[in-house]
Amino acid sequence: QIEARIARIWNELLRSGGEIDRDADFFALGGDSLLAVRMSFLLEEEFGVPVRIEQLAVKLSIAELARFLSSSDSLPVSPISDARLPDWLIDRLRGFLGNWPGTPALPDGLVRRVGAAREGIPVFWCMQHPEEAVGFERTIGTRFPSYAMRSGMFLLEYDTPLAEALADRYAEEIKQICPEGPLVIAGFCQGVNIALAVTRSLVAEGRQVRVLAAADCNFAELCGASPVPVPVALFAAVRSKFNPYRYFRYPEIGLRRLAPRGLRVEMIDT
């Protein structure tokens, strides 16, 4: 059963579409270092076991992976629950947040409070890098109560139970930080994936999200067929591949069905 689950992940990554020899080497089958990193993330999601490729034998095979996952030194081999964020991911996320500005907004929390402003509508922004958090602190954090969330970059694949669990964790912390009143939820690039999920979760529980701010993202692809239940401010970089003017003559009209509560597009000269 373990080998079958590993083989399914390999088929997805390698697009082989057939049975894979349990002793075949991942790299000999067409894998590369980037695919190997993705594989480690998918294995962690599937089994709840932190996987480091460098811990394995020189030959990276399904059989070798199965032995590693079944060993007494690893965690129990079982699919992770979609109701809870696993401890290994929380530990890794906290490691990434170690050099971010601000402090945890809650004891043992993952959302960080940045900036000195205390008056106004709170802004919760999901981003990737500490440099982005520093910029957020210097700009928005001087004007509004500001909170930084980290995206799933180098942590997880989006549109998975693990990503949903991360968004749910952020939503729960936000409700504790701000028990009442309107909020602004925002995201940059990959962070929009999490920000959108957090927004949907909060709105479903009756919270007022004044606006979802989405910066430099493929907004149509992220929304899919599900309209956003709040007004949207879309910040698009002029030279970005996600510039909506590459696909729509009038983005406010072309994307209106995905933001029926209102859409404003602002171009950023970068």
Side-chain angles (χ1 to χ4, degrees), residues 186-203:
F188 171 72
C189 198
Q190 289 188 32
V192 180
N193 290 272
I194 301 297
L196 179 57
V198 168
T199 297
R200 295 190 192 280
S201 177
L202 292 172
V203 170

Side-chain angles (χ1 to χ4, degrees), residues 71-149:
S71 70
S72 58
D73 294 332
S74 62
L75 300 177
V77 179
S78 59
I80 66 167
S81 168
D82 60 357
R84 179 179 175 273
L85 208 57
D87 291 340
W88 63 262
L89 190 144
I90 292 175
D91 291 341
R92 183 177 294 182
L93 181 53
R94 286 192 174 127
F96 281 126
L97 292 172
N99 61 343
W100 281 44
T103 56
L106 297 171
D108 296 322
L110 301 177
V111 177
R112 297 181 72 83
R113 180 155 198 165
V114 299
R118 296 294 183 266
E119 300 293 331
I121 298 177
V123 180
F124 293 83
W125 198 296
C126 190
M127 58 202 78
Q128 284 70 241
H129 302 290
E131 295 81 8
E132 296 166 7
V134 169
F136 175 59
E137 180 181 40
R138 290 174 178 172
T139 53
I140 307 300
T142 60
R143 301 165 57 197
F144 300 96
S146 298
Y147 300 86
M149 304 176 288

Side-chain angles (χ1 to χ4, degrees), residues 1-11 20 22 43 46-47 62-63 66:
Q1 182 186 11
I2 295 174
E3 291 192 6
R5 288 155 66 186
I6 298 171
R8 174 177 53 78
I9 291 172
W10 280 35
N11 271 311
I20 299 178
R22 65 189 298 271
L43 289 171
E46 177 72 18
F47 296 100
I62 291 174

